[in-house]
Amino acid sequence: MKVHFTTQTQILSLIVNSFTKAELQKLIPGVSLFRIDSARKHALVTGPGHVINKPKVYRMKLSKPKLTHFIEFIMNPLYSSVVGFGQTVLKLSSNENIPIPKVIRNLIHARIISIYQSFCKEYDFETFSRASLYRILKVCHASKQRALQGLDNITAAGMNSIDNLSKLVQKLETFGMSQPEFKSLTDIIQLINQFLKYEYKSHLNRLDGCTDHCTTMALSDPTEPKFSASCNHNHERQCEKCAMVESCLDMINEKINQIEIPTTILEEKNFSLDCYV
């Protein structure tokens, strides 16, 4: 009867620390140095002769309510976009093919799962494991977004402005801005970029008390009564990240005025700053 490698290691671990490797190879013909090292590791970690109990693997059944909850979340326009061109074919278990519009996922899977788990934790909703969520996303096939032009031109223009602001700050460094100030402004611009690109859309609400988040106020035209609406709530709440956007622009303007820059270049930078914002 052939003894399993794990069982041999367990038996050998009983005596492996009492002899040298050379002595063990004489006592047990054919034993390898790898087997001796494995037995010594077993004796050190688990204990001489102790049985290793393999961890039990529990499989989780995908319940329909939880599955529906996750699919509805990922189909939110914040995370998935249906494009006006192209289609894909959905094949059912009955071999029936159904053409559906092509879907583009706006975020990578890791970020979607991270946001979803935070959302479930906030509302005390028990969901699947992270690995199961990855498998569901793999089955729910969607193209990955590689460019925003033609899909979300507003976001594309915003990202372009962020890039231009970063270049503007780099130019200010060449004209005398200190390294700590340059690093501080660069970090703030990156934080603003992440906030506007991923978080800001989830903050918008028709009844939000923050001026920058209230969609009723943002979509109202003050010059045309037919295209305006009044809010039934006060706008007294402040958003730190939204305020950071305005303060960043003020800081850049302040640095432009403080640093000695040739007039022609200064006019160019002021014009560029007005265009970016």
Side-chain angles (χ1 to χ4, degrees), residues 168-196:
L168 177 59
V169 172
Q170 290 177 357
K171 290 181 180 179
L172 290 177
E173 185 191 18
T174 61
F175 285 101
M177 179 189 289
S178 64
Q179 182 64 28
E181 291 175 333
F182 167 74
K183 188 177 185 306
S184 176
L185 274 176
T186 303
D187 292 342
I188 291 174
I189 290 174
Q190 292 303 320
L191 287 173
I192 292 172
N193 181 34
Q194 295 295 316
F195 170 67
L196 295 178

Side-chain angles (χ1 to χ4, degrees), residues 211-253:
T211 307
D212 296 318
H213 299 169
C214 181
T215 55
T216 303
M217 182 177 182
L219 298 175
S220 295
D221 186 353
T223 62
E224 181 56 57
K226 294 182 179 180
F227 294 99
S228 62
S230 59
C231 300
N232 297 324
H233 55 275
N234 297 324
H235 299 110
E236 298 177 349
R237 192 169 65 85
Q238 294 291 331
C239 175
E240 294 182 1
K241 292 186 177 179
C242 290
M244 184 171 58
V245 177
E246 298 179 4
S247 64
C248 177
L249 297 176
D250 293 337
M251 291 171 64
I252 293 176
N253 273 318

Side-chain angles (χ1 to χ4, degrees), residues 75-93:
M75 291 307 296
N76 189 302
L78 294 175
Y79 313 115
S80 300
S81 301
V82 179
V83 296
F85 56 89
Q87 64 179 16
T88 184
V89 178
L90 179 65
K91 188 173 183 180
L92 305 181
S93 57

Side-chain angles (χ1 to χ4, degrees), residues 68-270:
T68 304
H69 185 267
F70 180 58
I71 292 177
E72 288 179 350
F73 181 85
I74 63 176
M75 291 307 296
N76 189 302
L78 294 175
Y79 313 115
S80 300
S81 301
V82 179
V83 296
F85 56 89
Q87 64 179 16
T88 184
V89 178
L90 179 65
K91 188 173 183 180
L92 305 181
S93 57
S94 60
N95 291 328
E96 181 183 359
N97 294 331
I98 301 177
I100 59 175
K102 190 175 182 180
V103 177
I104 292 181
R105 202 150 284 151
N106 300 329
L107 304 178
I108 61 175
H109 290 177
R111 186 175 290 275
I112 291 176
I113 291 174
S114 178
I115 295 173
Y116 178 69
Q117 288 181 328
S118 300
F119 174 77
C120 292
K121 185 177 180 181
E122 181 180 352
Y123 289 94
D124 197 21
F125 181 82
E126 185 179 355
T127 183
F128 304 121
S129 65
R130 193 175 183 86
S132 297
L133 295 176
Y134 269 110
R135 286 195 290 269
I136 295 171
L137 285 175
K138 186 177 180 180
V139 173
C140 299
H141 177 72
S143 301
K144 291 183 180 179
Q145 186 184 77
R146 289 180 172 83
L148 289 171
Q149 295 292 347
L151 297 174
D152 191 348
N153 291 330
I154 295 176
T155 304
M159 292 177 63
N160 184 50
S161 297
I162 291 291
D163 292 338
N164 290 332
L165 282 177
S166 299
K167 293 177 182 177
L168 177 59
V169 172
Q170 290 177 357
K171 290 181 180 179
L172 290 177
E173 185 191 18
T174 61
F175 285 101
M177 179 189 289
S178 64
Q179 182 64 28
E181 291 175 333
F182 167 74
K183 188 177 185 306
S184 176
L185 274 176
T186 303
D187 292 342
I188 291 174
I189 290 174
Q190 292 303 320
L191 287 173
I192 292 172
N193 181 34
Q194 295 295 316
F195 170 67
L196 295 178
K197 189 176 180 181
Y198 299 115
E199 297 182 37
Y200 179 68
K201 291 184 285 187
S202 62
H203 292 186
L204 299 177
N205 194 303
R206 190 166 57 89
L207 302 175
D208 200 286
C210 178
T211 307
D212 296 318
H213 299 169
C214 181
T215 55
T216 303
M217 182 177 182
L219 298 175
S220 295
D221 186 353
T223 62
E224 181 56 57
K226 294 182 179 180
F227 294 99
S228 62
S230 59
C231 300
N232 297 324
H233 55 275
N234 297 324
H235 299 110
E236 298 177 349
R237 192 169 65 85
Q238 294 291 331
C239 175
E240 294 182 1
K241 292 186 177 179
C242 290
M244 184 171 58
V245 177
E246 298 179 4
S247 64
C248 177
L249 297 176
D250 293 337
M251 291 171 64
I252 293 176
N253 273 318
E254 183 181 351
K255 296 303 175 185
I256 290 176
N257 295 328
Q258 289 178 354
I259 299 173
E260 294 184 2
I261 304 175
T263 305
T264 54
I265 298 178
L266 180 61
E267 292 177 354
E268 178 186 350
K269 291 186 181 301
N270 288 330

